[in-house]
Amino acid sequence: MPKKSSQVTWGGRFTAGPAELMLQFSESVSFDRRLAPFDIAGSKAHSAMLASVGLITTKERDDIHAGLDAIFAEITAGKFSWDTKLEDVHMNIEQALTQREPAAAKLHTARSRNDQVATDMRLFFKFACGVLGEKILGAQRALLGLAEANRSVLIPGYTHLQRAQPVFLAHHLFAWMEMLDRDRARFGEVAAHANWCPLGSGAIAGTTLPIDREFTAKALGFVDAKGRPQVTQNSMDTVADRDVFIEFATACALFGVHVSRMAEDLILWSSAEFKFVELPDAFCTGSSLMPQKKNPDSCELLRGKSARLQGNLHTLLTLTKGLPLTYNRDLQEDKPPVFDSFDQAALCADVLAGTLQGTTVYPDRCAAAVADPALLATDLADYLVLKGVAFRDAHHAVGAVVRLAEKNAVALDHLPTEEVQRVHPSFGSDWVTVFDLKRALAKRVGTGMPGPAQVGKQFARWKKLLK
Ligand code: ARG
C-alpha cells in the first residue's frame, strides 16, 4: 500500500501533497460549509440508493446514515471542526464519516464531487427560493398595510419626475406590489428549474455500476407535481451547467432593481421638498455634523445593494462564458456570488418590510400637492374630445390654456371662462367641473386604472392573494 496522503479522496496517484499556498488558494470550505445540510441529505439519499440496488448492505447504509446524522448534529451545534486542508464541505464530511464508520469508504461509490456539488446546489436553490418567496411575501404584506392605512390619500403621479396625473397613493404602492409579486413568482420558477436531480451523472459520464437515479431523485424531492422523479438528461450538461445559478442571481438582481426604485421613491417622498411621508427612526440615521439631519439610510442602502446583486450576476456570467465542457475548477467560484445574492436579497426584503411598516404618511402634504389643477390638464383635453374635438387639437388648445394661466400667474382652474373660450369655442360654461378631483378619479373606471372602484378591487385582490 502506498503512503496515504492527507487527501484520502484523491491522493492515491500523488507522491507530494499540495503546497500550503495552494491549500489556501483552493479551499472552498470557508464558504461552502453552509451546504452541509444539503450535502448530508444528498449522501443519505445516495447511500439509500446504493443499498437498494445491492451495492452496499443495509447495515452499511444504516451505519452511514447514523454517522451522517451525528455529524449533522455536531455541525448544527457548532462543534464540528472544519479543516481547510480538506478543501471543501464534501471532503470534510466524508473524512469525518470515514473516521467513525468503516462503511464510509463505500459512500462515494458511483458518485463524483461534480454531480455531488451540482446536487447540493440544486437543493440549496430550492430552499433559497422558498425563503426569499416568504420574505418577499412579508414585504408585500407590509406594503398592503401601508396602503390600507392611507386608503383615501391622493398624490400626484410622476413622469420624468414632473407632476403628471393624480393617483391614489395606494395605486402607486400597488405598482410596487406588482413588481414584488413578479419577483416572488420568478423565484418560484427558478426553484422549478432547479428541480432536476444530477446524481448519477458522476464526474462527466455517469457510471458503469447499476445505480437507480430515479430512486435518489425521489428521495431528495426532485419530483414533479404528480410525485414522478425528475432526473437530468445529459451527464455532461449536468456537471457543466450553471444556468440555475445565473437564473437565481438574475431573480435576485431584478428584485434588487425593483427595491431600489421603491427606495428611491421613498427617499424623494421623505425629503422636505415632498414631505409626503415620514420614514421610521428605526431605519434612519443622523448626521455626525448636522444635528437636524434624519437620513433615509435603509432606503439608500436598499438602492445601493442592487449594484452588488447585479455584480454577482455579472460574476457568474463571466465565470461561465467560454468555459469548455464540462466541469472546470473555475466553477468553484460559482458559490460566493450566489450565497451573497441570497443573503443580501433576504436582508433587503426584511429591511424593506420594516421600513414600510414604520412609514407614516402626511395626508395634508399629499393633498396640497395633488390639488395642483395642472394635473388634470389631460382631463380637460378629454373634455374637449367628448365635445367632438380631435385629440391632437384638444391637446394643443389645453396647452394654450396652460400657457395663458402661466402668463397671468393664476391657477389653471381660475382663468375666466371667456378667456378660455377664446382659446377654443368648444369649452362650455361647465369647463371647470373637470377640476373636481373626486369626479376626475371616478372617471378612471377601466381595469388597472387609478379610479376608486378599481383601486378597491385591487385592495380585495391583494388581501386575498397575500392572506
Ligand atoms: N469544491 C468543488 C466545487 O465547488 C467541488 C467539485 C470538485 N470537483 C473536482 N473535480 N475537483 O466546485
Side-chain angles (χ1 to χ4, degrees), residues 316-332:
L316 290 166
L317 288 167
T318 310
L319 183 69
T320 39
K321 182 203 167 289
L323 205 62
L325 256 54
T326 55
Y327 178 85
N328 299 270
R329 190 66 181 275
D330 316 42
L331 290 175
Q332 183 167 289

Side-chain angles (χ1 to χ4, degrees), residues 131-143 177 180-181 184 349 465-467:
V131 170
L132 290 176
E134 279 300 313
K135 287 185 181 290
I136 293 172
L137 188 62
Q140 287 181 289
R141 287 185 177 135
L143 189 54
M177 191 74 98
L180 291 175
D181 216 51
R184 202 154 56 90
L465 282 172
L466 304 178
K467 249 210 304 279

Side-chain angles (χ1 to χ4, degrees), residues 359-427:
T359 293
T360 50
V361 173
Y362 290 122
D364 294 349
R365 291 286 303 216
C366 296
V370 81
D372 179 355
L375 291 166
L376 293 169
T378 312
D379 293 47
L380 196 56
D382 290 347
Y383 165 93
L384 287 180
V385 166
L386 288 177
K387 303 249 168 191
V389 182
F391 180 74
R392 280 295 159 219
D393 300 332
H395 184 282
H396 201 79
V398 174
V401 171
V402 169
R403 194 162 8 96
L404 193 64
E406 263 174 23
K407 200 181 105 208
N408 298 356
V410 295
L412 191 55
D413 55 345
H414 279 62
L415 282 168
T417 300
E418 318 79 73
E419 284 195 41
V420 173
Q421 284 171 334
R422 252 200 302 274
V423 175
H424 201 290
S426 295
F427 281 116

Side-chain angles (χ1 to χ4, degrees), residues 279-466:
L279 297 174
D281 281 4
F283 287 90
C284 294
T285 67
S287 157
S288 54
L289 185 90
M290 299 165 283
Q292 86 285 8
K293 288 293 289 292
K294 176 175 163 186
N295 298 327
D297 293 42
S298 70
C299 293
E300 292 171 287
L301 282 166
L302 287 171
R303 199 172 54 185
K305 298 277 188 192
S306 68
R308 182 165 166 182
L309 295 172
Q310 287 175 49
N312 289 336
L313 169 61
H314 199 75
T315 298
L316 290 166
L317 288 167
T318 310
L319 183 69
T320 39
K321 182 203 167 289
L323 205 62
L325 256 54
T326 55
Y327 178 85
N328 299 270
R329 190 66 181 275
D330 316 42
L331 290 175
Q332 183 167 289
E333 289 293 315
D334 60 9
K335 281 167 280 300
V338 160
F339 294 151
D340 188 62
S341 282
F342 172 56
D343 294 339
Q344 294 303 318
L347 269 171
C348 285
D350 286 347
V351 169
L352 177 66
T355 303
L356 292 171
Q357 252 150 34
T359 293
T360 50
V361 173
Y362 290 122
D364 294 349
R365 291 286 303 216
C366 296
V370 81
D372 179 355
L375 291 166
L376 293 169
T378 312
D379 293 47
L380 196 56
D382 290 347
Y383 165 93
L384 287 180
V385 166
L386 288 177
K387 303 249 168 191
V389 182
F391 180 74
R392 280 295 159 219
D393 300 332
H395 184 282
H396 201 79
V398 174
V401 171
V402 169
R403 194 162 8 96
L404 193 64
E406 263 174 23
K407 200 181 105 208
N408 298 356
V410 295
L412 191 55
D413 55 345
H414 279 62
L415 282 168
T417 300
E418 318 79 73
E419 284 195 41
V420 173
Q421 284 171 334
R422 252 200 302 274
V423 175
H424 201 290
S426 295
F427 281 116
S429 56
D430 61 343
W431 75 285
V432 274
T433 58
V434 164
F435 295 100
D436 179 337
L437 202 51
K438 239 180 130 174
R439 187 172 165 276
L441 263 302
K443 283 174 182 274
R444 277 119 167 124
V445 293
T447 301
M449 296 183 193
Q454 283 301 329
V455 173
K457 271 193 189 169
Q458 295 299 327
F459 266 108
R461 173 178 162 235
W462 290 119
K463 264 194 215 164
K464 205 171 144 201
L465 282 172
L466 304 178

Side-chain angles (χ1 to χ4, degrees), residues 36-97:
F38 311 109
D39 199 67
I40 287 171
S43 289
K44 286 177 82 171
H46 182 66
S47 50
M49 182 277 289
L50 292 176
S52 92
V53 299
L55 283 168
I56 63 173
T57 66
T58 53
K59 161 90 171 68
E60 286 168 330
R61 175 199 63 199
D62 293 345
D63 289 350
I64 288 171
H65 282 202
L68 287 170
D69 287 342
I71 288 169
F72 186 59
E74 265 180 38
I75 292 171
T76 36
K79 290 193 185 123
F80 188 81
S81 78
W82 297 100
D83 185 358
T84 50
K85 280 199 197 67
L86 294 170
E87 281 185 29
D88 56 22
V89 61
H90 323 292
M91 299 217 281
N92 267 266
I93 291 173
E94 196 186 321
Q95 188 93 322
L97 188 65

Side-chain angles (χ1 to χ4, degrees), residues 195-251:
N195 194 25
W196 293 83
C197 190
L199 277 179
S201 299
I204 166 170
T207 173
T208 60
L209 297 166
I211 61 165
D212 181 349
R213 293 195 63 198
E214 283 69 24
F215 179 106
T216 328
K218 262 194 188 165
L220 287 171
F222 288 109
V223 292
D224 69 9
K226 291 191 174 136
R228 289 175 300 210
Q230 302 201 119
V231 300
T232 56
Q233 298 290 305
N234 180 295
S235 64
M236 292 180 74
D237 177 50
T238 300
V239 295
D241 172 30
R242 291 297 181 271
D243 288 5
V244 179
F245 292 61
I246 292 166
E247 289 175 345
F248 178 79
T250 300

